[in-house]
Amino acid sequence: MPESHIRRLVDVLLDAVFDYTRPPSSDPDFLWTEPNEYSQRQCRGCDEICQLLRWGEVQRRRDKTYEGSSPSRIVHNSYLELDRCAGVSGCDTCCVLRRAFLLEQITKRDAERLQHPDNQWPIHAVLDLDSSGGSLLSLAIRSPKRTIFSATIHLSGEPRPLSRDLTRRLAGLRCNYDDLRQVIDDCRHNHDCSSKHRWSRRNPTWLLKILGENRVQLVEGPSEPVDYVVLSYSWGDPATMPAAEWARIKGAGTKTINGRPVPERLNPFPIWELPETMQDAILLSASLGFSYLWYDNACIPKGTNWDTEASIMHEVYGNAAFTLVASSSTKATDHLIHDRLSWTHRSKACKLRGLWLHNTLMPLDRVRFESPVSQRAWTLQEERLSPRVVYWTGQQWYWSCAERQVAEMGELQYSSPTRDETPRSCPQRFLELCHTGDEDQLHDEWLDVVEAYTPRDLVEPKDRFLAIAGLAVRFYNAKAVNGGTVVTEDYLAGLWKDNFARHLAWSVSSAVDPRQNLQHIAPSWSWASLPLQVHTRTKAPFKPSKHFKLIAVEHVDAAHAMSMTDQAATKFESATTDYVNRGRAVEERGRGVKVVEVQGRFRPFIAENAQEVLWEAIECKRTAQRSSFDFRAFPGQHIYARHRADGRIMSKDAHSGEVVGQLDYLVQCENAKSTAQQDTAYLPESAEKDLMCLELGESAILLLVRSRNCDRSDSYRRVGVAIGHGNRKGFFYGCDTKRIRLV
């Protein structure tokens, strides 16, 4: 029989067996298991996985480098059914699947959501094959509208047992601290993290001393260095919790009398007077052998100068033994220490159709950027100023220092990432670059800081600059540490002078509501003027224009200029080696910068006689990188278009390529007139031809409108940016250079 006929016959038989839509039986004997050829328990849901593996075998026989995904098969009708199969029937494969879902849950609340009645939907499995011969099993619990939970199982031809079987020795499924203590001691004795990144010998002003018998006491930081733990946590959202609970969190702060903490804190007191996250952080620190803990609400007494404390956070976190990130908590009243459901059943190697099934470690990036604590603005600098970090999740801990990243299940391995894994993450990169002083990479890292910071939330928007003040001081100190007599760097409302054009070229992912802007806090050209929780892009390739120049800082808010008194300014300008105080002064002054004078090539964005067209009439395709346009309907015409939903704006001269910009703010349907009348960085309807542009780089343009409330005609507010105009490289050819004020 010809080979083509054989392949056709195999396809027909495979399709007959492989009914992609048939869910497994949900009758009582679905939980019945029987031993397979590897002497392990196997349920009928495992049969569905075997069919997926058989599909993969057929593809590999045809093409060893085949890359693709199988159709989906339902392996269980709900998570609770999977849970019963793993616990009651003892199915070894279902134990692995169950643990995979639990290990993907960062908080305790997420793990409990798996068992909620509203989340009981079929569990779908897909086999993914890559061209290198690797394979993995992608699991998803899907409702008719969306995927609620997902998990991944890795497949290999060799057994790969866990380096630490956490189910064999844990009483009550709680953490055994021996492994974590060994990791901390290894860093302390064998790494140079402390010698490189410890900022000074100074302790924080106040520390909680752990006394034993569940009691603590607020004490002044000893004169000699001590090992203390710093807690990074989320207070929670006051809008989503009872008022009494929020009052309890805030009320647990240290009160003062005549500038001193109250006796109730200076004397020993029981830990149950503090919220649950703090209680468990104290117990955890003591279990690891530490006698001191620092966290903001207790160790920055009410009435303390918050600006001063914020600017020395690089010292508080840099000098700590490690920072404990409460990744498992959604609010301060959540416990850190609790039973971890993923270790209910003992680890056991599992094999189906010649392949071993392995649980995998969640990438550290996911823990960092998806946990509730990562939504809080203050925690960004807490993480990036810490030489050593413990991320405490609902099912295991992660450790990160500059030289090692390890989880409770084992070392974090990134030597052969799959297409679904993220590249290796290092939270200490900012500190490493501050240590080496690589100027270009340091500016790259600051832009990464901004991109990670703008989507986060603040209880008090006025803290927009304070919440990264420690990072700004550390950045400046990294450039001033060499003690040169002339330091040109300056902090300008969240941007840096030495690379100002590049820092101006930030953009929003999509235009936002102008009514939520923070232009009472920062000028329009600063990302800090955006509303809270806005996603930005900062890291597009950038080559500066030789025509752009920062001329001067014209105006600094008086409240911040006070820090730069004549005496302080003299000290700042001198060749003193006290760059720590200089950095704090530079950061405080930088918060108040409002107006800068710049110079560059300048022109209108849209031709005066251009015709407006509908966006839908010209856009033919859009990808994540760019849009494609079809201008055949408008030959030889100057045209422009504005996308009302996401803020994109396009300008095209008659016989030249188009330039596409991104406006910062949306057109408002309601109250648009009143919003437009305010002096905000908002482009009203029918005002597109008022748009001016300033060249920042060879492929970066700042979009501007004239400020309405300024007496000077050369004052402009930013309304957006255009990045990567490859179809119109000569956009500024022949244009005059002009000095303008950015406000």
Side-chain angles (χ1 to χ4, degrees):
M1 182 182 294
E3 183 180 352
S4 60
H5 290 184
I6 296 175
R7 287 187 177 182
R8 176 62 179 166
L9 179 60
V10 169
D11 288 342
V12 171
L13 293 174
L14 182 59
D15 289 340
V17 174
F18 206 94
D19 180 2
Y20 302 125
T21 60
R22 179 182 61 85
S25 171
S26 57
D27 57 71
D29 47 283
F30 178 78
L31 301 181
W32 177 78
T33 63
E34 61 181 358
N36 64 13
E37 65 269 34
Y38 307 109
S39 300
Q40 65 182 34
R41 308 302 299 178
Q42 180 173 324
C43 71
R44 291 177 60 183
C46 301
D47 296 341
E48 302 297 318
I49 296 177
C50 288
Q51 293 297 334
L52 291 173
L53 299 181
R54 185 174 182 277
W55 174 88
E57 293 167 4
V58 172
Q59 305 307 320
R60 290 294 190 217
R61 283 198 296 269
R62 294 173 176 172
D63 180 1
K64 291 183 179 180
T65 63
Y66 176 84
E67 184 171 1
S69 300
S70 74
S72 170
R73 292 189 77 91
I74 296 176
V75 297
H76 272 289
N77 292 309
S78 69
Y79 175 81
L80 288 178
E81 187 177 85
L82 172 70
D83 188 42
R84 288 196 302 271
C85 191
V88 177
S89 303
C91 174
D92 296 316
T93 301
C94 288
C95 287
V96 175
L97 269 57
R98 175 183 180 275
R99 178 171 292 169
F101 279 113
L102 287 165
L103 288 175
E104 293 287 316
Q105 311 313 310
I106 296 174
T107 69
K108 177 189 177 185
R109 184 171 300 179
D110 289 336
E112 292 171 343
R113 285 179 56 237
L114 279 165
Q115 303 184 53
H116 195 279
D118 290 345
N119 295 327
Q120 301 312 306
W121 296 95
I123 299 175
H124 298 258
V126 171
L127 181 65
D128 296 320
L129 304 178
D130 62 44
S131 57
S132 64
S135 58
L136 57 85
L137 200 63
S138 296
L139 307 173
I141 299 176
R142 293 205 298 261
S143 73
K145 295 182 179 180
R146 63 188 180 94
T147 296
I148 306 175
F149 301 98
S150 61
T152 300
I153 301 291
H154 279 214
L155 306 171
S156 70
E158 300 293 332
R160 191 173 59 185
L162 293 175
S163 58
R164 301 180 181 92
D165 186 355
L166 305 183
T167 56
R168 290 179 179 169
R169 57 174 191 247
L170 300 184
L173 306 179
R174 301 295 174 91
C175 177
N176 183 311
Y177 299 105
D178 290 343
D179 288 336
L180 180 54
R181 191 180 297 114
Q182 290 175 15
V183 170
I184 295 171
D185 288 343
D186 176 62
C187 179
R188 178 184 298 174
H189 299 303
N190 300 320
H191 300 173
D192 61 355
C193 298
S194 293
S195 62
K196 284 200 303 184
H197 300 309
R198 186 179 181 98
W199 184 252
S200 69
R201 292 176 54 83
R202 188 162 51 189
N203 296 308
T205 307
W206 297 99
L207 287 167
L208 273 181
K209 187 173 183 180
I210 304 171
L211 303 175
E213 298 182 352
N214 294 329
R215 296 174 72 82
V216 293
Q217 178 184 5
L218 189 69
V219 299
E220 293 189 69
S223 57
E224 292 298 315
V226 296
D227 286 330
Y228 61 91
V229 177
V230 169
L231 174 65
S232 177
Y233 66 103
S234 173
W235 287 47
D237 183 358
T240 61
M241 67 177 77
E245 187 175 9
W246 179 249
R248 180 183 168 221
I249 293 171
K250 296 200 71 176
T254 300
K255 302 175 180 62
T256 56
I257 299 177
N258 298 325
R260 290 279 298 175
V262 295
E264 292 85 349
R265 286 291 183 259
L266 294 176
N267 296 321
F269 64 94
I271 65 173
W272 55 77
E273 292 183 7
L274 303 173
E276 284 74 3
T277 297
M278 292 75 196
Q279 295 178 31
D280 284 359
I282 291 166
L283 296 174
L284 196 155
S285 300
S287 298
L288 293 171
F290 294 92
S291 300
Y292 294 95
L293 177 72
W294 186 98
Y295 71 92
D296 53 5
N297 204 26
C299 300
I300 303 180
K302 297 184 185 302
T304 301
N305 188 318
W306 192 249
D307 288 24
T308 300
E309 291 294 328
S311 66
I312 62 172
M313 286 298 101
H314 65 287
E315 190 167 6
V316 171
Y317 287 89
N319 293 344
F322 67 89
T323 295
L324 174 63
V325 178
S327 300
S328 66
S329 301
T330 59
K331 54 187 176 180
T333 50
D334 284 347
H335 276 290
L336 283 178
I337 302 173
H338 48 75
D339 287 346
R340 300 179 301 172
L341 299 177
S342 58
W343 311 112
T344 304
H345 306 301
R346 179 168 298 186
S347 303
K348 183 177 179 181
C350 178
K351 192 175 186 181
L352 291 176
R353 293 190 68 87
L355 292 175
W356 296 88
L357 281 65
H358 307 290
N359 288 122
T360 59
L361 285 167
M362 183 190 303
L364 179 55
D365 270 0
R366 284 196 55 195
V367 177
R368 293 178 61 202
F369 301 129
E370 295 181 16
S371 63
V373 72
S374 71
Q375 308 309 308
R376 180 173 172 245
W378 286 95
T379 60
L380 178 67
Q381 70 173 5
E382 294 169 4
E383 177 193 63
R384 300 208 184 189
L385 292 172
S386 299
R388 295 158 296 274
V389 184
V390 172
Y391 298 88
W392 194 269
T393 73
Q395 305 299 318
Q396 61 180 318
W397 51 257
Y398 290 74
W399 165 269
S400 177
C401 67
E403 298 189 28
R404 187 185 186 194
Q405 292 184 335
V406 62
E408 192 170 1
M409 282 174 61
E411 298 285 338
L412 294 174
Q413 300 291 339
Y414 291 89
S415 56
S416 55
T418 69
R419 60 186 174 184
D420 294 324
E421 291 179 333
T422 54
R424 184 183 177 102
S425 164
C426 185
Q428 288 76 27
R429 177 172 167 77
F430 178 80
L431 285 179
E432 285 284 293
L433 291 172
C434 287
H435 181 74
T436 60
D438 186 314
E439 186 170 357
D440 288 339
Q441 290 193 50
L442 194 54
H443 277 280
D444 288 343
E445 189 65 14
W446 180 262
L447 294 174
D448 185 73
V449 165
V450 171
E451 199 168 287
Y453 182 66
T454 55
R456 300 183 180 220
D457 199 12
L458 281 164
V459 175
E460 299 289 346
K462 64 182 178 61
D463 292 338
R464 190 64 177 265
F465 286 124
L466 282 176
I468 58 166
L471 286 165
V473 173
R474 189 69 181 86
F475 181 99
Y476 178 83
N477 290 339
K479 301 190 73 174
V481 70
N482 293 325
T485 57
V486 178
V487 179
T488 60
E489 190 61 277
D490 198 4
Y491 187 53
L492 308 176
L495 287 65
W496 291 97
K497 177 183 176 183
D498 283 357
N499 215 333
F500 192 58
R502 184 182 180 196
H503 286 242
L504 281 173
W506 56 267
S507 65
V508 295
S509 298
S510 185
V512 296
D513 189 339
R515 293 170 293 186
Q516 307 300 320
N517 75 75
L518 301 180
Q519 290 182 29
H520 60 290
I521 293 173
S524 66
W525 44 268
S526 169
W527 51 262
S529 66
L530 291 169
L532 299 174
Q533 297 181 282
V534 172
H535 290 272
T536 56
R537 299 189 181 105
T538 63
K539 295 175 288 187
F542 185 87
K543 186 175 182 180
S545 166
K546 63 182 180 180
H547 301 282
F548 180 87
K549 184 178 180 181
L550 173 63
I551 305 297
V553 175
E554 282 206 358
H555 176 66
V556 181
D557 185 82
H560 297 281
M562 288 176 64
S563 67
M564 294 293 285
T565 61
D566 291 342
Q567 182 179 358
T570 300
K571 181 179 182 180
F572 171 72
E573 295 295 341
S574 71
T576 178
T577 58
D578 187 12
Y579 55 87
V580 176
N581 288 330
R582 288 165 58 191
R584 290 170 58 182
V586 166
E587 185 279 325
E588 187 170 348
R589 175 181 179 273
R591 296 180 225 156
V593 172
K594 300 296 184 184
V595 182
V596 293
E597 183 180 6
V598 298
Q599 175 180 292
R601 292 199 289 188
F602 194 77
R603 60 157 286 176
F605 184 66
I606 298 170
E608 185 177 355
N609 59 342
Q611 171 190 350
E612 183 176 13
V613 300
L614 293 175
W615 191 273
E616 296 77 11
I618 56 172
E619 186 178 45
C620 56
K621 181 181 179 183
R622 188 184 184 191
T623 64
Q625 288 75 31
R626 55 168 296 181
S627 296
S628 296
F629 298 97
D630 183 351
F631 299 112
R632 286 177 294 179
F634 309 98
Q637 297 182 46
H638 298 294
I639 61 172
Y640 70 93
R642 180 174 180 175
H643 196 293
R644 264 60 181 176
D646 62 23
R648 284 177 291 159
I649 189 165
M650 186 280 305
S651 172
K652 184 184 184 304
D653 291 345
H655 301 290
S656 301
E658 75 278 6
V659 178
V660 180
Q662 172 64 60
L663 297 175
D664 298 334
Y665 297 106
L666 286 169
V667 175
Q668 292 298 302
C669 297
E670 299 178 6
N671 301 322
K673 185 175 181 180
S674 61
T675 304
Q677 289 172 348
Q678 302 172 11
D679 194 22
T680 61
Y682 166 81
L683 186 66
E685 289 271 15
S686 304
E688 288 81 8
K689 291 186 180 180
D690 295 337
L691 203 57
M692 305 299 293
C693 47
L694 176 73
E695 184 184 36
L696 298 176
E698 293 188 1
S699 60
I701 299 172
L702 198 62
L703 303 180
L704 306 164
V705 293
R706 182 172 283 121
S707 179
R708 300 179 184 87
N709 293 348
C710 290
D711 295 334
R712 295 178 54 170
S713 62
D714 62 347
S715 297
Y716 290 85
R717 288 188 177 274
R718 170 190 160 125
V719 294
V721 71
I723 303 292
H725 44 282
N727 290 337
R728 190 73 184 279
K729 294 183 178 180
F731 189 66
F732 286 95
Y733 180 72
C735 294
D736 292 334
T737 298
K738 182 177 179 179
R739 284 193 178 194
I740 63 171
R741 299 168 76 241
L742 299 179
V743 300

